Amino acid sequence: MTPTPLSVSTPESTSGDATPIRLGTRASALATTQSGLVARRLEELTGRPVELVHIKTEGDVKTGSLASLGGTGVFVTALREALLDGRCDVAVHSLKDLPTTPEPGLTFVTPEREDPRDALCARDGLTLATLPHGGRVGTGSPRRAAQIRAARPDLDVVDIRGNVGTRLDRALGPDADLDAVVLAYAGLSRLGRTDVISEVLDVDVVAPAPGQGALAVEVRTADIVSDPATGRAPAPDLAEAIHLLDHRPTRLAVLAERSVLARLEAGCAAPVGAHATVSGAVLRLRSVVAAVDGSEQMSRGGEASLSQDVAPEALDAAARTLGVAVAENLLADGAERLAPLSATVPEKA
């Protein structure tokens, strides 16, 4: 495939290096908006121009339900290949699209997270509680569908695909055939479309996808970490910028959430929700596993203390340990009976 470069801006270089940083992104409006936010920040931190390089992923090319695509990497594999073969220097993903297994040779950081909750976009300003009996609600996410069914068993949950605009039109457009659709608040906020939200869904009603609302800014590890074996030194301006992009509270929260998913061996759109927060020196996590038909769901939680006197690696380990512990509690109490935890269906914004 041939990537298409798109210049974001060309500021005066303050680092003495005017070589553009090539940032790989999917071409959708949401992806380019998210990548544009990262591009502008990289320009500020490095003084170098950034070019967006459009990469088509399998999820952009294939049609049909998300369940039929069968792989958590469907939206990220092509971007990672472009990084590894040198067609781009940085890639931006929605973190919830990333498989939980690390990719050899690549490292990602997490900028500060947007609101991770889901949003109901309904005709006439309706809420989940006021949608009519038998109302039709669209979503491409098994996690959202299961929890919506648990909250309102009388609703008809319809599987839909498409970009944000296409999905909104299904409920709010002139030819609408649905009463509502459910999307991530973060994506609507970044697109400047929060006006279409009729209700932001409480995390106790619809728990978000692990990592929802967060971005992953991914680079080749060799570009930011010295390799004693080869003597290769990283690019200092890019290495420092990537370090500064990482937001520690976001990193710890999403590490805990994704550790639940990894221990459950579930795909990123299995009916599993997780929500972690950092408040002071305490990391709190709650996770939900739901039956696909919404007939039953199970919730478990926990917390961990975050000492300020330990190395960042120890804080990361504490977050992972918390996630694994919550997942172990879910498994011990029969979570596998409720849901197909081996599902690997990708989730849309």
Side-chain angles (χ1 to χ4, degrees):
M1 70 187 68
T2 302
T4 304
L6 171 66
S7 178
V8 174
S9 63
T10 54
E12 291 295 325
S13 175
T14 58
S15 66
D17 182 0
T19 304
I21 297 170
R22 297 161 302 161
L23 189 154
T25 177
R26 295 170 59 207
S28 71
L30 178 57
T32 54
T33 297
Q34 293 178 160
S35 296
L37 296 173
V38 174
R40 285 187 285 277
R41 185 62 178 141
L42 284 174
E43 289 176 337
E44 293 170 358
L45 292 171
T46 66
R48 294 166 60 186
V50 175
E51 292 180 351
L52 298 189
V53 179
H54 291 170
I55 304 292
K56 282 188 177 181
T57 72
E58 186 179 6
D60 299 312
V61 174
K62 289 190 174 181
T63 59
S65 71
L66 291 178
S68 69
L69 298 181
T72 51
V74 71
F75 295 114
V76 302
T77 300
L79 283 166
R80 286 179 155 176
E81 289 173 352
L83 262 181
L84 291 168
D85 67 21
R87 283 177 285 147
C88 61
D89 307 301
V90 180
V92 176
H93 315 278
S94 291
L95 179 58
K96 67 182 180 181
D97 289 341
L98 287 189
T100 54
T101 303
E103 181 71 12
L106 299 180
T107 298
F108 71 84
V109 296
T110 50
E112 187 170 1
R113 188 184 207 174
E114 176 60 271
D115 190 325
R117 292 176 293 176
D118 285 309
L120 186 78
C121 304
R123 63 173 179 83
D124 305 324
L126 294 169
T127 66
L128 185 59
T130 60
L131 283 167
H133 183 87
R136 288 163 52 83
V137 179
T139 176
S141 159
R143 171 191 60 82
R144 290 173 182 145
Q147 293 183 89
I148 292 294
R149 290 183 179 118
R152 285 286 308 271
D154 60 295
L155 295 176
D156 180 15
V157 181
V158 179
D159 184 63
I160 62 172
R161 275 210 70 183
N163 60 34
V164 170
T166 299
R167 283 178 282 160
L168 286 174
D169 283 346
R170 295 286 300 272
L172 306 178
D175 300 315
D177 62 329
L178 302 174
D179 294 290
V181 293
V182 184
L183 299 92
Y185 178 94
L188 292 168
S189 176
R190 290 173 182 137
L191 288 170
R193 297 300 312 273
T194 55
D195 59 298
V196 300
I197 297 172
S198 56
E199 182 183 16
V200 180
L201 299 172
D202 192 278
V203 295
D204 290 332
V205 178
V206 180
Q212 184 160 303
L215 299 178
V217 181
E218 195 163 42
V219 296
R220 292 179 292 272
T221 305
D223 287 346
I224 62 169
V225 177
S226 297
D227 185 352
T230 64
R232 177 175 174 175
D237 57 345
L238 182 59
E240 178 65 12
I242 294 300
H243 170 74
L244 292 172
L245 280 175
D246 202 38
H247 184 251
R248 175 60 54 174
T250 295
R251 179 181 180 85
L252 294 173
V254 299
L255 267 173
E257 293 170 6
R258 284 166 56 80
S259 294
V260 172
L261 203 62
R263 177 61 189 91
L264 293 178
E265 298 182 352
C268 65
V272 174
H275 180 237
T277 58
V278 175
S279 178
V282 178
L283 172 64
R284 294 183 176 86
L285 170 67
R286 172 179 171 270
S287 182
V288 173
V289 175
V292 173
D293 63 3
S295 59
E296 189 177 352
Q297 55 184 1
M298 178 186 299
S299 172
R300 298 293 181 269
E303 63 181 50
S305 297
L306 304 173
S307 173
Q308 302 304 306
D309 301 323
V310 300
E313 293 78 8
L315 296 178
D316 289 355
R320 291 191 184 96
T321 298
L322 175 60
V324 170
V326 169
E328 294 280 8
N329 287 337
L330 286 165
L331 290 170
D333 292 337
E336 289 178 298
R337 173 181 57 82
L338 293 184
L341 295 181
S342 61
T344 55
V345 182
E347 174 160 317
K348 291 290 286 181

